[in-house]
Amino acid sequence: MDDETLSEWAERRDTRIGRLRAVPLVPGGSPRGSHLNPDAPRAIQRWNGHMWEPHGFAVNLAETKRILFPGTEAAPASGPAPRLGPGTGRHRKPQAPE
């Protein structure tokens, strides 16, 4: 058998300490996807090595993402969006600049 040693297991467990997760606060069963109920408040929980403990609170999905993923805000697009050629197909190609 390829069992890991206790020290390897403890090291793997300790790397997860401090990890955060968000739990939607909605009535009934909690939704499976984070995009469901984007305006619902969320409890932020922190892993302490043995169990998830309360860490904070967010009022909606946007604030939750700022807490869980700091510094990953999308950069503004550079320049205007390309103009699409005539037609209604979904595979239209951008026009060449004039």
Side-chain angles (χ1 to χ4, degrees), residues 79-85 93-95:
R83 291 183 32 212
L84 297 178
K93 295 184 179 178
Q95 290 179 334

Side-chain angles (χ1 to χ4, degrees), residues 45-60:
Q45 297 176 336
R46 181 180 173 274
W47 181 249
N48 68 9
H50 300 285
M51 61 182 286
W52 291 99
E53 61 186 9
H55 181 72
F57 182 79
V59 294
N60 58 24

